[in-house]
Each structure stands twice: as C-alpha cells, then as structure tokens.
Amino acid sequence: MASTSDINLANLDLFENGAPWATFAELRANDPVHWSEEDPNEGSGFHSFTRYHDIVKVLRDPATFTSERFTNLEEVDAEQEEARRSLLETDGARHRALRRLLQGEFTPTAVARYETFLRGLTATTLDTALAKKEFDFVDEVSADFPIRVLARMLDVPDTDIHKLIQWGNEMVGNTDPEHAAVLIHSEESEKYRLVPFRSPAALEVFAYGDELARQRRGKNGTDLVSVLVNSEPSDGIPLSERDFHTNFLLLVVAGNETTRHTISHSMNWLMNNPDQMALLKEKPELIPWAVEEFLRCASPVYHFRRTATQDVQFHDTTIKAGDKVLTWFASGNRDETIFEDPNRMDVTRNPNEHMTFGRGGPHMCLGNALARIEIRIMFEDLLSRDITLERNGDIDYLRSNFVHGIKRFPVKLG
Ligand code: HEM
C-alpha cells in the first residue's frame, strides 16, 4: 500500500495550481480517513474524509458530526462561537427555524422569477466583455454576475456592487495575500477574532447591513433584508442583532464566490474539452444536464468541517470526540465508485448525483436552485453566440484549501 503519511491537506502549496485531484484519488484508494497535522499555532489537526459515501454519512449525522463548533478549519472558542454563529453553524430546531425564514426566497419557483432579469444581465455582461476582444474572463464575466443577482435580491443599488465584491474577496481570500490585507493567521487578525473570517471586511458588511435594516424595518418590502428583519422565526425566538449580522453576511458571501468560480471553471473545462463544447452548441437542450456536470467538475467548495461529538469508528480510525472532520466534496465528486471515468467531463452524464452543494444533510446549500439558474442562463447565452474563446495566458488559482477559486483567466476571441 502506498504511504500517504506525507500528504498534508493543510499545506496550501498543494492547492496553488488548482485542485490536487491525484492526491484525493490516492487518499480515496489508500487512506479514506486521513490525518493532517496543522501548525500548532493554527489548529490541532484534522481528519479528511475523501470517499463519497463516507462524506454523505457525516453530512447526514449532525448529532455525531456537529456544525455548532464551526464549519471552517479555524478553531473558535466559546466567545467567538457566540459572536460569529450564523445558520451555517447552527444545528437542530434553531437551524430549521432560521433556514425556514429564508428558504421561500430560494425555491426553484421563487428563483425562476429572476429568469428575465438574468437573461438581460447575462446579455449585457457578455456584450461588454466580448466587445473588448481580449479580456480576463473572471473580471469581465464571472466576478460581477452572481453578486449583481444577489444585489437585486437584496434590493441594493448597482453602485454598491464593487464594494460587495471587494468585501467577499477579502473575507473568502483570507489565506491569499493578494486578496486580503489581514491574513487569517496573522497577529493583526487577532483584533477581528470575533467577526467572521477574522476579517475587517466583515465589520463593513455588518455596518452596510445595519443601514439597510434601518431603512426597511417595519415596512412591507419583499427583498431579503426585509424578510430577515420583518419576519419572526418559527421557533418564536426573534432574530438577534448577531443573527441578522451573521446571516446577512452569509448571504453576501455564500452566493458570490462559489457561483463565480463555477462559471470560470466551466468555461475552462469546455475549452479543454472542445467535443463537449461542440455538443452543447449543437444541442443546447442539453445545457440543464450539463450544468450538473459543470458543478461536479468545478467543485468550488473544497470542503466543509464538522466536529465529532463522541468517539466514533470509521474504517480503521477512531475519531475522538472534539476532533475536526473535513468532508472533501471535491474528492467525493471524483469518487470512481460513483462516477464512471470521474476525471472526464461528460455533459450527458446521467445520473449525476454530485455533492457540490453537499448531499442530503440539513445544511445542503440553500442557494442551489439560484446557482443552477445563473449558470444555465450564462451558458445558454454564451454557447449560442457564434464566437470562439481562446486562452490568452495562464490561469491563476486562489491559494486556498477551502475555495477552489480562479483569480485570473485571460482569454481572447479566436
Ligand atoms: C455554485 C454555487 C454554490 C456552491 C458550490 C455552494 C455550496 C454550498 C455548500 C457545500 C454548502 C454546505 C452544505 C452542507 O454542509 O451540507 C452551502 C450552504 C449554503 N449555501 Fe451555498 N453554494 C453555492 C451557491 C449559493 C448561493 C447562490 C447562495 C445564496 C445566496 C447560497 C447560500 C447558502 C447558504 C445560506 C448555506 C447554508 C445553509 C445551511 O446551513 O442550512 N449558496 N453551499
């Protein structure tokens, strides 16, 4: 059996040039519950689950694998938990009540209301980008698109969009010096330990949300901020200031980076697979299926974390109460026992039960229908155009083992 003890998934160098697919394959084959040490100043180490079915078991068992101790690698103390908890880090009845508050806005029927708006936005975005002939696909196409949709759902002006993008970049990119002035493990970040991502940008998002809440409280708006401030959770416990801050911030962050990177990765995969691009151009009716394959191949969220609440045995490993467990969605999406020829993009793959949004657990992505419609409409428009895009330089990836992100993607019209 090959030794996997040298593999450390805390080492960001592994992720510098995109996803370490071969490493994931090795772990799935030889070490399905793999231990990675962390720098003692950063964390106590973690178990990595890389097989599809194991990940599903973890996600579906919040009693044994809780989200309440937080869902990123960073270890937080009780004071930080109290200050920073959103619905993502809440389990049980309170989680259900908070989720219910928002879920009506994110059903497939609810998000279908945005179809006309999305078509217009996509057309304008692509017209502007393509007029430039040479451009960066991230900057011109994928970066602004999801946040513009969210801005519409929050009912905030277009002039605020760049601020929202900047804040999102800083928070999610808190391990990448190019994106964040305050890096997560820096001394400076200690000042921000009580806010999400230990990022000063989170305070700006809170202040921005407060101003929107002030304007909308007690009125009858239907935007997401109005829903948050004017509805009572079904458990009868009103939303605290902290609840509003952290859940508003979650909405700003969750839908922005993830959808952006899916669009960029999908374009890259299509360029690398011209037969698949040609098939979709010829048969656009396949695009809704293709979206599922785009999501599987992109896997923009590498992992989320859970924490064991009791000792539990998985394969040959005893996971101790309090241990961190990482569910590597990106690896589960390449599990060869689930997906035939998993490294191949096959836009007709069916079934395609990927775990890009999680799979079946209570925290399954709330925005999945919205992300799907955005990606579908983007590629329906892009692939209907009589153009060829070519790569015009190297792709730069985000230095992160949390988000599988593309920072730069230079392209030109062929
Ligand atoms: C391609 C785009 C997206 C991906 C890959 C993605 C991925 C995920 C994942 C993996 C989870 C956690 C699942 C789990 O732990 O079981 C999640 C949760 C969540 N996502 Fe998404 N997401 C995307 C887009 C969006 C959008 C557009 C929104 C809406 C603005 C959104 C809002 C949320 C929220 C609020 C949660 C927390 C749900 C809960 O804890 O109950 N996401 N997402």
Side-chain angles (χ1 to χ4, degrees), residues 125-141 271 387-393 409-414:
T125 305
L126 289 176
D127 289 347
T128 312
L130 296 171
K132 296 190 174 166
K133 311 260 190 285
E134 285 191 25
F135 57 94
D136 189 278
F137 192 85
V138 176
D139 286 346
E140 299 295 331
V141 179
M271 283 178 170
I387 51 145
T388 315
L389 279 184
E390 292 172 358
R391 201 165 286 111
N392 194 24
F409 183 5
V411 295
K412 62 175 187 223
L413 278 178

Side-chain angles (χ1 to χ4, degrees), residues 99 106 108 111 295 357 364-373 375:
R99 194 170 159 112
F106 289 98
V111 301
L295 285 159
F357 295 121
M364 168 93 184
C365 177
L366 187 69
N368 74 81
L370 178 63
R372 284 180 160 118
I373 194 176
I375 299 162

Side-chain angles (χ1 to χ4, degrees), residues 237-253:
I237 304 169
L239 223 63
S240 64
E241 187 188 26
R242 187 277 318 266
D243 289 336
F244 173 72
H245 277 163
T246 57
N247 288 296
F248 174 73
L249 184 139
L250 176 65
L251 290 174
V252 168
V253 175

Side-chain angles (χ1 to χ4, degrees), residues 87-88 95 99 254-255 258 262 300 304 306 356-357 363-365 367:
L87 80 124
L88 185 65
H95 170 254
R99 194 170 159 112
T258 45
T262 305
F304 265 123
R306 299 291 187 267
T356 299
F357 295 121
H363 292 277
M364 168 93 184
C365 177

